[in-house]
Amino acid sequence: MTYPTIRPRRLRASEGLRSLVRETRLNPADLIYPLFVVPGNRIKEEVPSLPGCYHYSPDMAVAAAAEVYEAGIPAILVFGVPEYKDERGSGAWDQESPVQKAITRIKAAVPELIIVSDVCLCQYTSHGHCGLIGNGCVDNDPTLELLAKTALSHVAAGADIIAPSDMMDGRVQAIREALDAAGHTQVSIMAYAAKYASAYYGPFRDAVNSAPQFGDRRTYQMDPANAREALKEVALDIEEGADIVIVKPALAYLDIVRQVRDTVTVPVATYNVSGEYAMVKAAAAKGWIDERRIVLETLTGMKRAGADMIITYHALDAVRWLRG
Ligand code: PBG
Ligand code: ZN
């Protein structure tokens, strides 16, 4: 049977009908809001490359986290900007660094809010790479111990979920073992499993001052041309103990989100990264797009592609718009 008996437009005739047959729904409960923590006190400064997002000192991060929780967003993803950098990135596991302090204060003030903490060395190393430099390269194995140490310091501060973003081989296993050995068997790992070497991270690197001082990240982050390799990375991370896997970036990689969702049983997150956000904000500021509609359409597309949750700088705006 076909036209004129079949008329798909029948089910589009009113908002009630469209709502009844809607296949994908975006909910505040799907979102994770990134938060940037900087040294100091009483600081809330807009990030130039991410308009509408702020640098918070640990004391000010508490109010921001409470606002996220009250908006119905279940989780934040915290990033730290350190007071000092060195060759090994030792600020990453310094219990007195801004992000550790902020995690402790947020957990005390808003205990129900899930704190996901990004674990990496690039904000903390003087060279800006995500691992140690040795043997003329970003040296995988000696880095693992430092990532595990960093994860432990975040958990000691109060983090609920550890999110390693460095793309070293074996880091999920190293972190899982360290957590378990310390008795933190209930702390989850949300692994940046398929993380591509992407130009879309530019505004983020400006925000946290983490651009590599030489070379690039292509020896550890994935080649944007590869899809099968993403499935391999995801499978390895799950084997090593990842509870949730992330595909990152989101927009140019929605096919990867779909393939991963169809392949694994663990929850899949996607990261609507800084460059994706900045492009929308820039075009909206020019009056060239309808920001509200573009954002809701984009996030819905990510869910439709198979993402169970979305890390996004738009989270607070999106929730406001979803509530009408
Ligand atoms: C650190 C890290 C990056 C992002 C999240 N964690 C940058 C990078 O790998 O260079 C990117 C987030 C974004 O662009 O929004 N490894
Ligand atoms: Zn990094």
Side-chain angles (χ1 to χ4, degrees):
M1 242 190 302
T2 182
Y3 173 86
T5 319
I6 304 296
R7 291 177 181 269
R9 286 186 55 188
R10 276 185 204 124
L11 296 179
R12 296 180 203 137
S14 67
E15 179 47 32
L17 280 166
R18 291 191 293 270
S19 172
L20 270 178
V21 302
R22 190 157 293 138
E23 300 175 36
T24 307
R25 270 174 224 279
L26 186 65
N27 297 307
D30 304 324
L31 305 177
I32 300 173
Y33 186 65
L35 215 62
F36 298 108
V37 185
V38 298
N41 271 299
R42 309 297 308 160
I43 294 169
K44 177 185 176 182
E45 273 169 14
E46 193 168 37
V47 179
S49 58
L50 295 170
C53 294
Y54 296 83
H55 281 142
Y56 297 98
S57 49
D59 55 326
M60 299 294 277
V62 174
E67 184 191 350
V68 172
Y69 182 69
E70 277 148 29
I73 297 167
I76 54 173
L77 171 60
V78 289
F79 292 98
V81 176
E83 214 130 10
Y84 60 95
K85 295 181 192 258
D86 59 29
E87 201 52 31
R88 288 166 58 77
S90 57
W93 56 88
D94 183 340
Q95 215 60 45
E96 296 303 310
S97 278
V99 81
Q100 281 85 349
K101 282 199 222 165
I103 290 171
T104 301
R105 298 179 73 145
I106 292 168
K107 194 33 85 180
V110 202
E112 317 272 277
L113 181 69
I114 301 300
I115 303 178
V116 187
S117 71
D118 184 274
V119 165
C120 202
L121 302 184
C122 54
Q123 294 105 289
Y124 300 89
T125 50
S126 41
H127 44 78
H129 278 288
C130 303
L132 285 176
I133 301 299
N135 297 316
C137 65
V138 175
D139 202 358
N140 196 90
D141 296 6
T143 301
L144 301 182
E145 179 196 336
L146 305 185
L147 294 168
K149 243 176 19 180
T150 303
L152 284 174
S153 81
H154 291 181
V155 172
D160 301 289
I161 301 182
I162 294 299
S165 69
D166 51 282
M167 286 299 278
M168 297 301 117
D169 295 329
R171 90 277 206 212
V172 172
Q173 179 176 296
I175 291 171
R176 184 73 269 162
E177 281 173 1
L179 291 174
D180 289 353
H184 301 303
T185 56
Q186 297 306 304
V187 172
S188 304
I189 298 178
M190 179 188 277
Y192 289 81
K195 176 172 177 180
Y196 288 89
S198 172
Y200 283 100
Y201 307 149
F204 173 94
R205 290 182 191 168
D206 288 342
V208 302
N209 184 24
S210 70
Q213 297 305 297
F214 60 88
D216 54 42
R217 302 211 202 290
R218 283 183 283 192
T219 66
Y220 42 107
Q221 298 181 349
M222 287 179 55
D223 184 338
N226 293 356
R228 290 191 306 266
E229 190 188 357
L231 298 179
K232 173 178 167 180
E233 282 282 7
V234 164
L236 285 169
D237 279 6
I238 293 172
E239 243 176 78
E240 290 180 24
D243 300 284
I244 299 170
V245 291
I246 306 176
V247 174
K248 175 187 176 190
L251 263 190
Y253 301 86
L254 293 182
D255 58 324
I256 309 298
V257 173
R258 170 47 59 198
Q259 289 186 60
V260 170
R261 178 61 291 159
D262 288 345
T263 308
V264 304
T265 56
V266 301
V268 176
T270 195
Y271 197 146
N272 176 211
V273 298
S274 59
E276 299 170 22
Y277 174 86
M279 292 193 303
V280 169
K281 296 303 272 192
K286 290 267 193 191
W288 291 343
I289 56 169
D290 178 335
E291 182 180 356
R292 171 188 171 136
R293 291 193 55 207
I294 289 269
V295 168
L296 295 178
E297 180 178 337
T298 302
L299 297 177
T300 299
M302 291 170 190
K303 275 211 83 182
R304 194 194 61 242
D308 300 295
M309 59 193 95
I310 305 168
I311 303 161
T312 179
Y313 304 96
H314 295 294
L316 280 167
D317 287 336
V319 166
R320 220 172 352 95
W321 293 328
L322 283 171
R323 300 234 152 92

